Amino acid sequence: MNIKKILSIAIFLLVTQLSFAQYFKLTPQGFVSNDNSDFTVVNVPNAKQKDLYKNVLNAINLMYSNPQKGLNVVEGESISLTAYEENALPVRHSAGGFGKGNYKYDLSYTLSFLFKDGKIRINTPVFECRRWYEATYKPTSGWGSSGWTTLKLVKGKNDRVAIYDKEGKLLLEDASNGLNNHFNSVLKQIIDKSQKINNW
């Protein structure tokens, strides 16, 4: 079996694995579920609401170093997690006339879960991508200023960089893929861990 064929099979298996964990996909309107809704439902047959709530909460506590700072809960009914990850999203794009560069964006986001007997509802992730930039020197204008810049979802009139243009055309494929993979992976980990917790 040649290398090309092995590589093709490996890529196929990876894509197949990722498709099973596809809770949401990014669009110019934000994340939507596979049926274009603003939430998705995970069915967990024969599980009680209070157990699903407790297991997801325990899974979040296992995955995040200090989740209490960003947790907002209604006991037994809902969990909202606000988190911040530094350098979570690598994106290659142009930077004001200096050609293309590789940039790492910090990611702040909120994940929300609601519970019923046998069901976990996951609302679409809400997120913001931003990075810190240092002042640069230009011979014509001198030193610029340092500050935060935000990676916009849809390019507005004064935005330098965005994932989509105003017609909905994808501009930054690696940003879209990175966000899809990041959030679907995080949600899969939470759901998988929650189903492996033994309520003794």
Side-chain angles (χ1 to χ4, degrees), residues 62-168:
L62 287 171
M63 285 177 58
Y64 290 85
S65 58
N66 192 7
Q68 288 76 19
K69 287 172 72 176
L71 276 177
N72 188 0
V73 303
V74 176
E75 185 72 33
E77 292 182 19
S78 68
I79 299 168
S80 178
L81 168 71
T82 301
Y84 184 85
E85 295 180 39
E86 290 185 354
N87 301 320
L89 183 68
V91 182
R92 182 171 174 77
H93 60 74
S94 61
F98 291 107
K100 289 200 169 183
N102 296 310
Y103 303 95
K104 289 190 175 175
Y105 285 83
D106 295 353
L107 200 52
S108 56
Y109 58 90
T110 300
L111 303 175
S112 301
F113 305 85
L114 291 93
F115 305 92
K116 285 185 176 178
D117 287 351
K119 294 178 187 294
I120 303 170
R121 169 176 162 153
I122 309 170
N123 291 335
T124 54
V126 178
F127 69 95
E128 182 183 63
C129 310
R130 61 184 199 152
R131 69 178 177 85
W132 179 261
Y133 62 90
E134 294 294 337
T136 53
Y137 182 78
K138 293 181 182 175
T140 53
S141 56
W143 284 96
S145 57
S146 300
W148 287 100
T149 185
T150 302
L151 176 61
K152 297 290 187 178
L153 182 60
V154 177
K155 194 171 178 74
K157 186 178 176 183
N158 299 316
D159 296 324
R160 289 171 56 185
V161 63
I163 301 172
Y164 294 93
D165 71 12
K166 60 183 180 181
E167 277 81 40

Side-chain angles (χ1 to χ4, degrees), residues 9-80:
I9 291 169
I11 289 169
F12 172 75
L13 289 171
L14 180 63
V15 169
T16 306
Q17 276 186 314
L18 286 173
S19 67
F20 284 118
Q22 187 79 18
Y23 297 102
F24 296 102
K25 60 190 178 217
L26 191 66
T27 73
Q29 291 73 44
F31 278 105
V32 296
S33 67
N34 293 324
D35 62 358
N36 291 317
S37 177
D38 62 353
F39 68 91
T40 191
V41 174
V42 177
N43 291 304
V44 190
N46 305 317
K48 294 290 184 192
Q49 177 179 345
K50 65 180 172 76
D51 292 330
L52 291 173
Y53 165 85
K54 188 166 61 174
N55 284 7
V56 168
L57 189 60
N58 286 340
I60 288 169
N61 279 311
L62 287 171
M63 285 177 58
Y64 290 85
S65 58
N66 192 7
Q68 288 76 19
K69 287 172 72 176
L71 276 177
N72 188 0
V73 303
V74 176
E75 185 72 33
E77 292 182 19
S78 68
I79 299 168
S80 178

